[in-house]
Amino acid sequence: MADTAGAEKERDALRAAHLYYLQDLTMEAIATELHTSRSSVSRLLGYARDTGLVEIQVKSPLDRLSSLQERIRARHGVTAHVVPVPDSTAEVDRLERVAMSAARILGPFFDSNMTMGIAWGSTLSAVSRHLQEKVTHNSQIVQLNGASNARTTGIGYASEIMSRFGTAFGAYVQQFPVPAFFDDPRTKEVLWRERSIRRVLEIQKHMDIALFGLGSAYADVPSHVYVGGYLDDDDFQQLGRSQVVGDVATVFYRADGSSEDIPMNARSSGPSLEWLRKVSRRVCVVSGRSKLPALRGALAAGVMTDLIIDETTAHSLLED
């Protein structure tokens, strides 16, 4: 019984630490969420500090991964970072809380003399708003896919996200001034031979970490590529015929993880999934059960090494 009580206390202390240090919730808010008192929350946080669960950042040591994280690792071969969020939380708030935790978790992953590739989108926009400053040297942030479409250049949207990452890490920002999708694959082939474009592609090839969300046409919080004027009716019909369930950096894939022979990918400016899999660390941020089909397809494709995910969606992932 004593061992069980100790394990429960450690679990509650770790959860309280996540909410307090990673999500910036007040002790009162944590007490409400955990159905306990403010003084109990204070004691849990003290226990977390005294026992080493909390140092400078909140961490769950690898030898004490939660059962949920262990199960995801065992089944899907990825390192999961599960963010505690109540089931009743609205999807927009859920995304913000996952994004806030992702921004804090990301800090130790990126350092001097490293290159990070960023795929713009609703999720990464949210993450960028919560980044904490970490000064690095000789580092750079590179945009993974173009942002312009027939209605807008996309420069304002993508550059704001990139700029936030560059400012937070003191890194040089390399934008990718091409369309998200080309009208004709042959135009892309020609442009990809230009020296200015080849230079960006070369930077992408040598990145140390790739950071991305998952696009989905069915997400409760709309994915920017599906609502931002990038796709027309013919494109949506084509994606339907190809049985697409999601995209990474505007590269589409099916439920089984395959991306070959999807016509839209010949027009996409994003890196192929084969190319992406060569990056040593690939961090995916996902929020909400409506993203489950896209997440399962991405896991089947093997595009991520790290998954930052809310607790409810993580449980649902393991239910199939």
Side-chain angles (χ1 to χ4, degrees):
M1 291 292 292
D3 289 343
T4 300
E8 289 179 353
K9 184 175 182 179
E10 184 173 275
R11 181 200 63 202
D12 291 342
L14 182 58
R15 187 180 185 93
H18 265 282
L19 298 173
Y20 187 74
Y21 291 103
L22 289 182
Q23 298 187 30
D24 287 345
L25 266 66
T26 64
M27 288 194 187
E28 289 80 1
I30 296 170
T32 300
E33 187 160 314
L34 298 184
H35 305 292
T36 188
S37 66
R38 186 185 185 284
S39 59
S40 294
V41 172
S42 179
R43 287 193 293 272
L44 287 172
L45 293 174
Y47 176 83
R49 291 190 297 269
D50 293 342
T51 57
L53 288 175
V54 173
E55 294 176 354
I56 295 176
Q57 75 261 4
V58 177
K59 64 176 184 178
S60 176
L62 291 180
D63 60 345
R64 286 210 300 255
L65 283 173
S66 71
S67 172
L68 188 56
Q69 292 167 328
E70 288 175 344
R71 289 165 62 198
I72 292 174
R73 181 194 287 267
R75 181 177 296 189
H76 298 289
V78 300
T79 299
H81 308 265
V82 178
V83 180
V85 182
D87 290 349
S88 60
T89 305
E91 290 306 311
V92 172
D93 294 332
R94 182 182 302 275
L95 172 59
E96 284 300 310
R97 289 176 63 162
V98 171
M100 182 181 294
S101 291
R104 311 291 171 84
I105 292 167
L106 182 65
F109 293 175
F110 187 66
D111 216 324
S112 298
N113 303 308
M114 293 180 70
T115 298
M116 184 187 329
I118 301 292
W120 53 261
S122 302
T123 299
L124 268 294
S125 178
V127 172
S128 72
R129 293 194 295 271
H130 297 289
L131 291 169
Q132 293 184 317
E133 184 174 329
K134 176 183 180 179
V135 178
T136 63
H137 305 282
N138 192 36
S139 59
Q140 57 185 337
I141 306 293
V142 61
Q143 184 176 329
L144 289 183
N145 51 322
S148 66
N149 60 38
R151 297 194 322 203
T152 174
T153 64
I155 292 174
Y157 180 79
S159 65
E160 184 176 30
I161 296 171
M162 300 291 293
S163 177
R164 287 172 181 158
F165 276 91
T167 299
F169 294 110
Y172 173 74
V173 173
Q174 176 59 65
Q175 294 184 305
F176 198 22
V178 298
F181 299 101
F182 290 85
D183 290 336
D184 189 329
R186 292 171 296 183
T187 306
K188 171 184 170 180
E189 293 173 4
V190 172
L191 190 57
W192 258 223
R193 293 198 294 267
E194 289 291 324
R195 284 182 297 173
S196 60
I197 300 302
R198 289 208 318 267
R199 181 179 62 81
V200 180
L201 296 174
E202 196 64 23
I203 294 172
Q204 292 177 356
K205 279 185 180 179
H206 292 90
M207 60 185 166
D208 303 282
I209 179 171
L211 179 65
F212 52 89
L214 300 178
S216 171
Y218 312 105
D220 290 337
V221 178
S223 299
H224 191 71
V225 70
Y226 296 94
V227 298
Y230 291 90
L231 304 170
D232 59 27
D233 290 341
D234 289 341
D235 295 331
F236 278 110
Q237 291 175 13
Q238 190 176 93
L239 294 177
R241 289 193 296 269
S242 298
Q243 298 181 311
V244 163
V245 297
D247 77 276
V248 173
T250 61
V251 175
F252 300 97
Y253 54 85
R254 305 179 183 90
D256 62 1
S258 64
S259 57
E260 298 78 13
D261 303 322
I262 296 177
M264 285 290 296
N265 287 343
R267 296 165 44 203
S268 171
S269 58
S272 69
L273 302 190
E274 179 182 8
W275 185 357
L276 187 62
R277 283 190 288 264
K278 295 177 182 179
V279 181
S280 58
R281 188 161 216 164
R282 309 178 300 278
V283 183
C284 176
V285 184
V286 175
S287 168
R289 281 178 288 197
S290 60
K291 287 283 186 80
L292 278 170
L295 175 56
R296 291 191 175 108
L299 286 166
V303 295
M304 67 190 78
T305 59
D306 291 77
L307 172 63
I308 302 174
I309 184 172
D310 66 277
E311 188 175 11
T312 300
T313 307
H315 277 294
S316 297
L317 176 65
L318 295 171
E319 287 175 356
D320 59 345

